[in-house]
Amino acid sequence: MNSNLDTEKEQVAPRRALGQLKPYTAGKPIWEVQREYGVERVVKLASNENSLGPSPKAVKAMQEALAELHRYPDERSSGLISELARQYNLSDDHFIVTNGGDELILLISQAYLEEGDEIIVPEPTFSEYAFGAHLMCGAVVKVPFQENYSYNADHILAAVTDKTKLIYLCSPNNPTGTYLPEAELRRLLDRLPARVLVVIDTAYRHYATASDYSDGAAFIREGYPLLALNTFSKIYGLAGIRVGFGIAPENVIRTLLKVKEPFNVNALAQAGARAALTDYEHIEASRAMNKAGREQLYSGMRELGISYTESMANYVLVELGEKADHIYNQLLQRGIIIRAAKGWGLHQHMRISVGTEEENRILLEALAELI
């Protein structure tokens, strides 16, 4: 008998770091709600997707690329990078394209973190920053937001130690929808030691309407040690093909390329993303729908007496009180999916993605019945 197959023997041990990892919990998919509750129509307002759908130009480009699927994709995503470089007025060497923004977060962790290094993250925020740090045996230092989930550069600076390697700033922040003003970002960058790399996650940048919002690109042009993380999953409506990109100083990009797997972004994703960048009609229509949808949700929440946080993204954080779980489950039975915020430690809150006018109306009518 092969001793390797003996289940009573000691098994190969996983890395100790895995004991700290918490797998990402995605929003409920439509098919699961249909199967579990026996409903045909489902309104999904849980995952911050673009309810307008994917960029039509991206869909056409992917269809045209199907005939070349027997070829390996461009290892560097050169065509997509060239269009990004044109739009951002930077050289190609300032960009890296990845399998969604999540892969870029992992690459940053793998490239920069040694055991015992620290990262600083706001609290609450996107969980994947901490996931990447824990995977590399790093430590996560959480800095709570101020009143109304606002950023404060001084509080972040106070958390910096000689072990600090990375600082993550999600702006607009997930799940709060609040943002880091340009002046606060500059103040932070000017006072940080040059050995600290700041990562600003601007996945929702297109939806920000504040005049003092910054996507970080201007600071990269000025030479600051800043990496701007982006995705095609939101306004471009391409969450299903998994493609993101980073903008950073050339030396940072060279470092990240050392740990990037070859052919990490498939050919259809590259073709679709490149086309989506120039689908300005779709981008503007998505912005307009989101702006109107946010106001529709704000108005509905005020009428229902529900507290909410004003958002610069395509979702709104609302406070439903002690009955939050009950309301969440009742909405599911009606075929309406929103996102419970207890994973962020906000047990009485829900994050509601902005949908179409009809989807928002269906949600508000259901809330009116339940509250």
Side-chain angles (χ1 to χ4, degrees), residues 10 12 64 66 69 75 91 98 103 108 126 131 155 158 177 204 211 227 232 241-242 289 300 315 321 356 359:
E10 184 178 357
V12 59
E64 293 174 351
L66 288 172
L69 289 187
E75 194 275 336
S91 72
T98 56
E103 187 196 21
I108 294 167
F126 188 44
F131 181 92
H155 286 238
Y204 302 97
S211 60
L227 186 154
F232 285 87
I241 62 171
R242 311 307 301 129
M289 182 192 74
Y315 50 85
T356 63
E359 289 172 332

Short mmCIF file of all heavy atoms in Angstrom, two decimals, residues 10 12 64 66 69 75 91 98 103 108 126 131 155 158 177 204 211 227 232 241-242 289 300 315 321 356 359:
data_model
loop_
_atom_site.label_atom_id
_atom_site.label_comp_id
_atom_site.label_asym_id
_atom_site.label_seq_id
_atom_site.Cartn_x
_atom_site.Cartn_y
_atom_site.Cartn_z
N GLU A 10 0.37 11.66 8.51
CA GLU A 10 0.44 13.12 8.50
C GLU A 10 0.43 13.63 7.07
O GLU A 10 1.16 13.15 6.21
CB GLU A 10 1.70 13.58 9.22
CG GLU A 10 1.80 15.10 9.35
CD GLU A 10 3.04 15.53 10.11
OE1 GLU A 10 3.78 14.64 10.57
OE2 GLU A 10 3.26 16.73 10.23
N VAL A 12 0.65 16.60 3.94
CA VAL A 12 1.51 17.74 3.62
C VAL A 12 0.85 19.02 4.16
O VAL A 12 -0.35 19.23 4.00
CB VAL A 12 1.75 17.83 2.10
CG1 VAL A 12 0.45 17.96 1.33
CG2 VAL A 12 2.68 19.00 1.77
N GLU A 64 -14.99 39.85 -33.28
CA GLU A 64 -14.07 39.85 -34.41
C GLU A 64 -12.77 39.12 -34.08
O GLU A 64 -12.07 38.65 -34.99
CB GLU A 64 -13.78 41.29 -34.84
CG GLU A 64 -14.99 42.00 -35.43
CD GLU A 64 -14.73 43.47 -35.71
OE1 GLU A 64 -13.66 43.97 -35.29
OE2 GLU A 64 -15.58 44.11 -36.36
N LEU A 66 -12.53 36.33 -32.34
CA LEU A 66 -12.76 34.91 -32.10
C LEU A 66 -11.97 34.00 -33.05
O LEU A 66 -11.52 32.92 -32.65
CB LEU A 66 -14.25 34.59 -32.22
CG LEU A 66 -15.15 35.09 -31.08
CD1 LEU A 66 -16.61 34.88 -31.42
CD2 LEU A 66 -14.80 34.38 -29.77
N LEU A 69 -8.39 32.63 -31.88
CA LEU A 69 -8.26 32.03 -30.55
C LEU A 69 -7.23 30.90 -30.49
O LEU A 69 -6.86 30.47 -29.40
CB LEU A 69 -9.61 31.52 -30.06
CG LEU A 69 -10.64 32.59 -29.67
CD1 LEU A 69 -11.86 31.94 -29.05
CD2 LEU A 69 -10.04 33.60 -28.71
N GLU A 75 1.68 38.88 -24.96
CA GLU A 75 2.14 38.71 -23.59
C GLU A 75 2.12 40.01 -22.80
O GLU A 75 1.87 40.03 -21.61
CB GLU A 75 3.56 38.10 -23.61
CG GLU A 75 4.03 37.56 -22.28
CD GLU A 75 4.66 38.60 -21.39
OE1 GLU A 75 5.14 39.63 -21.92
OE2 GLU A 75 4.67 38.40 -20.16
N SER A 91 4.29 57.35 -21.43
CA SER A 91 4.90 56.32 -22.27
C SER A 91 4.35 54.95 -21.91
O SER A 91 3.81 54.73 -20.82
CB SER A 91 6.42 56.33 -22.08
OG SER A 91 6.77 55.81 -20.81
N THR A 98 -3.40 43.56 -16.33
CA THR A 98 -3.54 42.37 -15.49
C THR A 98 -4.91 41.72 -15.63
O THR A 98 -5.83 42.30 -16.21
CB THR A 98 -3.29 42.72 -14.01
OG1 THR A 98 -4.20 43.77 -13.63
CG2 THR A 98 -1.87 43.18 -13.78
N GLU A 103 -5.62 40.71 -9.62
CA GLU A 103 -4.29 40.18 -9.92
C GLU A 103 -3.22 41.22 -9.66
O GLU A 103 -2.14 40.91 -9.15
CB GLU A 103 -4.19 39.68 -11.35
CG GLU A 103 -2.86 38.96 -11.59
CD GLU A 103 -2.49 38.77 -13.04
OE1 GLU A 103 -3.01 39.49 -13.92
OE2 GLU A 103 -1.64 37.89 -13.31
N ILE A 108 1.52 43.27 -6.68
CA ILE A 108 2.14 44.28 -5.82
C ILE A 108 2.64 43.63 -4.53
O ILE A 108 3.77 43.89 -4.08
CB ILE A 108 1.13 45.41 -5.51
CG1 ILE A 108 0.77 46.18 -6.78
CG2 ILE A 108 1.69 46.36 -4.45
CD1 ILE A 108 -0.43 47.09 -6.63
N PHE A 126 -11.88 47.66 0.71
CA PHE A 126 -11.83 46.44 -0.09
C PHE A 126 -10.89 45.44 0.56
O PHE A 126 -9.74 45.75 0.88
CB PHE A 126 -11.36 46.81 -1.50
CG PHE A 126 -11.42 45.70 -2.51
CD1 PHE A 126 -12.53 44.87 -2.59
CD2 PHE A 126 -10.37 45.51 -3.40
CE1 PHE A 126 -12.59 43.85 -3.54
CE2 PHE A 126 -10.43 44.50 -4.35
CZ PHE A 126 -11.53 43.67 -4.42
N PHE A 131 -5.73 40.69 1.98
CA PHE A 131 -5.51 39.32 1.51
C PHE A 131 -4.10 39.18 0.93
O PHE A 131 -3.37 38.24 1.26
CB PHE A 131 -6.56 38.97 0.46
CG PHE A 131 -6.44 37.57 -0.09
CD1 PHE A 131 -7.14 36.53 0.48
CD2 PHE A 131 -5.63 37.31 -1.19
CE1 PHE A 131 -7.04 35.24 -0.03
CE2 PHE A 131 -5.52 36.03 -1.70
CZ PHE A 131 -6.22 34.99 -1.12
N HIS A 155 -3.82 61.17 10.03
CA HIS A 155 -4.04 59.89 10.70
C HIS A 155 -3.29 58.76 9.99
O HIS A 155 -2.78 57.84 10.64
CB HIS A 155 -5.53 59.59 10.77
CG HIS A 155 -6.26 60.40 11.79
ND1 HIS A 155 -6.98 59.85 12.82
CD2 HIS A 155 -6.38 61.75 11.95
CE1 HIS A 155 -7.51 60.81 13.57
NE2 HIS A 155 -7.16 61.97 13.05
N ALA A 158 0.42 59.12 10.78
CA ALA A 158 0.72 58.72 12.15
C ALA A 158 0.88 57.20 12.27
O ALA A 158 1.50 56.72 13.23
CB ALA A 158 -0.38 59.21 13.08
N GLY A 177 -18.13 54.77 -0.63
CA GLY A 177 -18.37 55.72 -1.71
C GLY A 177 -17.71 57.06 -1.50
O GLY A 177 -17.82 57.95 -2.34
N TYR A 204 -13.55 53.13 -9.45
CA TYR A 204 -14.83 53.83 -9.66
C TYR A 204 -14.63 55.29 -10.06
O TYR A 204 -15.53 56.12 -9.91
CB TYR A 204 -15.67 53.74 -8.38
CG TYR A 204 -15.93 52.32 -7.94
CD1 TYR A 204 -15.15 51.70 -6.97
CD2 TYR A 204 -16.96 51.58 -8.51
CE1 TYR A 204 -15.38 50.38 -6.58
CE2 TYR A 204 -17.20 50.26 -8.12
CZ TYR A 204 -16.40 49.67 -7.16
OH TYR A 204 -16.64 48.37 -6.79
N SER A 211 -15.26 68.14 -7.75
CA SER A 211 -14.27 68.92 -8.50
C SER A 211 -12.84 68.69 -8.02
O SER A 211 -11.89 68.91 -8.78
CB SER A 211 -14.61 70.41 -8.41
OG SER A 211 -14.59 70.84 -7.05
N LEU A 227 1.11 54.34 -7.44
CA LEU A 227 0.56 53.42 -8.43
C LEU A 227 -0.95 53.59 -8.44
O LEU A 227 -1.59 53.49 -7.39
CB LEU A 227 0.94 51.98 -8.11
CG LEU A 227 0.57 50.91 -9.15
CD1 LEU A 227 1.50 49.71 -9.03
CD2 LEU A 227 -0.88 50.43 -9.03
N PHE A 232 -11.55 47.40 -15.81
CA PHE A 232 -12.56 47.53 -16.87
C PHE A 232 -13.90 46.93 -16.43
O PHE A 232 -14.82 46.81 -17.24
CB PHE A 232 -12.07 46.85 -18.15
CG PHE A 232 -11.02 47.63 -18.88
CD1 PHE A 232 -9.68 47.48 -18.56
CD2 PHE A 232 -11.36 48.53 -19.88
CE1 PHE A 232 -8.70 48.20 -19.22
CE2 PHE A 232 -10.39 49.27 -20.54
CZ PHE A 232 -9.05 49.10 -20.22
N ILE A 241 -14.92 39.51 -18.26
CA ILE A 241 -13.70 39.10 -18.97
C ILE A 241 -12.44 39.36 -18.16
O ILE A 241 -11.35 38.98 -18.58
CB ILE A 241 -13.58 39.78 -20.35
CG1 ILE A 241 -13.49 41.31 -20.23
CG2 ILE A 241 -14.75 39.38 -21.25
CD1 ILE A 241 -13.15 42.01 -21.53
N ARG A 242 -12.55 39.98 -16.99
CA ARG A 242 -11.43 40.14 -16.06
C ARG A 242 -10.21 40.81 -16.69
O ARG A 242 -9.28 40.16 -17.15
CB ARG A 242 -11.02 38.79 -15.45
CG ARG A 242 -12.14 37.94 -14.87
CD ARG A 242 -13.00 38.69 -13.86
NE ARG A 242 -12.22 39.20 -12.74
CZ ARG A 242 -12.26 40.47 -12.31
NH1 ARG A 242 -13.02 41.35 -12.91
NH2 ARG A 242 -11.55 40.83 -11.28
N MET A 289 -26.54 57.75 -16.46
CA MET A 289 -27.45 56.84 -15.77
C MET A 289 -27.11 56.75 -14.29
O MET A 289 -28.01 56.76 -13.43
CB MET A 289 -27.37 55.44 -16.40
CG MET A 289 -28.33 54.43 -15.77
SD MET A 289 -28.00 52.72 -16.25
CE MET A 289 -26.51 52.39 -15.29
N GLY A 300 -35.37 58.46 -2.65
CA GLY A 300 -36.17 57.38 -2.08
C GLY A 300 -35.80 57.07 -0.65
O GLY A 300 -36.68 56.82 0.19
N TYR A 315 -22.58 53.04 -6.22
CA TYR A 315 -23.27 52.34 -5.14
C TYR A 315 -23.47 53.32 -4.00
O TYR A 315 -22.81 54.37 -3.93
CB TYR A 315 -22.46 51.13 -4.65
CG TYR A 315 -21.02 51.46 -4.36
CD1 TYR A 315 -20.62 51.98 -3.13
CD2 TYR A 315 -20.04 51.28 -5.33
CE1 TYR A 315 -19.30 52.31 -2.88
CE2 TYR A 315 -18.72 51.60 -5.09
CZ TYR A 315 -18.35 52.11 -3.86
OH TYR A 315 -17.05 52.45 -3.62
N GLY A 321 -30.43 49.61 10.17
CA GLY A 321 -30.68 49.35 11.58
C GLY A 321 -30.64 47.88 11.94
O GLY A 321 -30.11 47.04 11.23
N THR A 356 -30.60 50.68 -13.16
CA THR A 356 -31.41 51.49 -14.07
C THR A 356 -32.54 52.15 -13.29
O THR A 356 -32.80 51.79 -12.13
CB THR A 356 -32.01 50.62 -15.18
OG1 THR A 356 -32.90 49.65 -14.58
CG2 THR A 356 -30.92 49.87 -15.95
N GLU A 359 -34.90 49.40 -12.14
CA GLU A 359 -34.35 48.56 -11.07
C GLU A 359 -34.34 49.29 -9.74
O GLU A 359 -34.70 48.72 -8.70
CB GLU A 359 -32.92 48.13 -11.44
CG GLU A 359 -32.86 47.12 -12.57
CD GLU A 359 -31.45 46.85 -13.04
OE1 GLU A 359 -30.59 47.75 -12.91
OE2 GLU A 359 -31.19 45.75 -13.57
#
